[in-house]
Amino acid sequence: MSIESSFLARARIHAALGDPARLAIVDALTLGDASPGEIAQTLDLPTNLVAHHVKVLTDAELVTKGRSEGDRRRTYLRLRPETLATLATPRLTGVGRVVFVCTHNSARSQLAAALWKRRTHRAAASAGTQPAPRVHPRAVAVAHRHHLDLDPTGTAHVTDVVRADDLVIAVCDNAHEELTGPVRPRLHWSVPDPARADTDEAFEAAYADLADRVDRLAPAVLPRGPR
C-alpha cells in the first residue's frame, strides 16, 4: 500500500524543520520578512550555511524568495504559513453530534460530553454499555468545581442514544473493546477509570485528561474561520 502524497509532503516539511538552524530561521520569519544576510546576522550563522538551509526550506515550500522593490539586488525571504498549517490536527469532516461512551456512563463519558458542549457549543451526548442508575457523586462534584452542566440522574444505554451519523468516542478501554457490533467507536480515549481509586484526585485527573483531549479534538471538528 502506497503512502498518500499528503503524508509524504508533511514528512518533507517535518524533515525540513528537523534541523535547529532551520527551525530558528522559520521562527525569525514568523513575524516579518528578512534577507538571507539579515538572517545570518541575527542567528550568527555563516552566509553559505544560511543559503543551504534556505534552499531546504524553499524546497519544502516553507519559504519563498522575492526581489526587493528598492535595491533589486537584494532578496527577501517570506514564510509560507499555509504550509505550516498542513501540520495541524487532521480534519474530521461531516461530524454532527458527538457521543462519548464508557462502561457505566457515570463519570468519564458524562464529563467528556459536558466538556465538549462547553468547548464547542455543539450537541453532545453520553452513554454506557452497562449504565449505572446515577452519575458518580465524585463526578458530579468535579463537574461542579469546574462549572460544568451535568445531570446527576441522566444515564443511558448506548442502544438508546447512539444514532447512525454520530461520532462515537469510547473514553474507556472496556467500552472500546466491547462495542464490536453496529455501534462501533470511531475514536478511543484510554482514560483510566477514576472510580477504581474513588478519590477526588483521581476524578480531577480524569477531568484534566478529558479536557486536554477535547481541546485537541475540537480544532479537527470545528469549521475554520476566515483568515
Side-chain angles (χ1 to χ4, degrees), residues 38-211:
E38 290 168 336
I39 290 291
Q41 184 175 11
T42 299
L43 301 180
D44 193 23
L45 292 172
T47 55
N48 62 333
L49 187 56
V50 169
H52 164 72
H53 289 314
V54 166
K55 183 180 186 308
V56 174
L57 294 170
T58 302
D59 290 344
E61 299 183 356
L62 282 161
V63 169
T64 59
K65 300 177 183 177
R67 288 288 180 185
S68 166
E69 292 184 349
D71 183 349
R72 298 292 297 174
R73 296 169 298 178
R74 186 185 292 259
T75 298
Y76 287 113
L77 305 173
R78 174 181 295 182
L79 186 67
R80 298 188 61 186
E82 66 272 18
T83 300
L84 283 175
T86 63
L87 302 180
T89 306
R91 301 287 295 169
L92 293 179
T93 59
V95 175
R97 190 177 67 158
V98 179
V99 178
F100 298 92
V101 179
C102 65
T103 304
H104 300 302
N105 190 211
S106 63
R108 290 164 290 182
S109 56
Q110 295 278 355
L111 291 170
L115 281 161
W116 184 257
K117 290 176 186 176
R118 185 172 71 181
R119 172 67 174 78
T120 67
H121 304 290
R122 288 189 162 203
S126 66
T129 56
Q130 303 171 38
R134 64 187 178 118
V135 179
H136 196 292
R138 291 191 191 276
V140 176
V142 75
H144 180 73
R145 285 195 293 273
H146 293 278
H147 309 290
L148 288 178
D149 183 14
L150 194 151
D151 179 2
T153 62
T155 63
H157 194 275
V158 289
T159 56
D160 297 326
V161 174
V162 176
R163 303 190 297 245
D165 58 346
D166 288 333
L167 170 61
V168 179
I169 303 176
V171 293
C172 82
D173 298 338
N174 286 332
H176 175 66
E177 294 161 11
E178 290 175 14
L179 293 172
T180 57
V183 177
R184 180 64 184 156
R186 184 173 176 184
L187 297 176
H188 172 214
W189 295 352
S190 185
V191 180
D193 184 3
R196 289 180 181 271
D198 200 16
T199 63
D200 287 344
E201 292 76 13
F203 278 82
E204 284 288 350
Y207 169 87
D209 191 351
L210 291 165

